[in-house]
Amino acid sequence: MTLTAPRDPETLLADVIDMRRRIDSEHPPRNRWDFKYVAGGLIDVEFLVQYLLLRHAHHHPDLLTTETSVAITRLAAKGILDQAAATDLERALALAWRVQGLIRLTARASARS
């Protein structure tokens, strides 16, 4: 399976950084509340988690999941992420999703007014 193939960590990191730069140039954040694309936002958390999954899936194929929060939990359980970092990432992810949802709700409500 491609996702569990062994990978060179340095090449993988360079590929992730390159992809993030391309996304940044193609989808710059519209404002500081654009939690998906703003630096440190959802994309960055997801890229970090996906990098760790791809880097370690060869030895731990059970890490693989499409749910970022589940992946964070699994990475911490394997000791790949320190528990404090995992907790911080999970909280940041949950907060970003909540704020993004609230912004969407309020933007729709104000557009109807």
Side-chain angles (χ1 to χ4, degrees):
M1 175 192 240
T2 303
L3 294 176
T4 58
R7 298 171 193 280
D8 173 60
E10 305 231 351
T11 302
L12 179 61
L13 182 59
D15 290 345
V16 169
I17 290 169
D18 179 59
M19 185 177 292
R20 180 59 178 108
R21 284 186 182 138
R22 283 187 282 143
I23 286 174
D24 199 36
S25 69
E26 293 172 19
H27 301 282
R30 294 178 299 253
N31 56 53
R32 65 181 172 182
W33 296 103
D34 189 353
F35 275 55
K36 182 170 184 179
Y37 295 110
V38 71
L42 289 169
I43 291 288
D44 288 332
V45 173
E46 290 172 356
F47 271 43
L48 168 68
V49 171
Q50 290 170 12
Y51 164 77
L52 291 172
L53 292 177
L54 290 172
R55 180 173 176 178
H56 297 281
H58 177 67
H59 295 292
H60 305 285
D62 56 321
L63 286 172
L64 296 175
T65 178
T66 58
E67 296 180 50
T68 304
S69 59
V70 172
I72 292 168
T73 301
R74 290 179 183 178
L75 288 162
K78 296 281 185 191
I80 295 166
L81 262 179
D82 145 309
Q83 188 56 55
T87 299
D88 287 346
L89 280 173
E90 288 171 346
R91 288 180 179 163
L93 187 63
L95 177 62
W97 283 336
R98 275 183 266 160
V99 170
Q100 186 178 43
L102 287 170
I103 289 170
R104 286 180 180 163
L105 284 173
T106 57
R108 286 185 191 141
S110 64
R112 285 186 230 139
S113 301

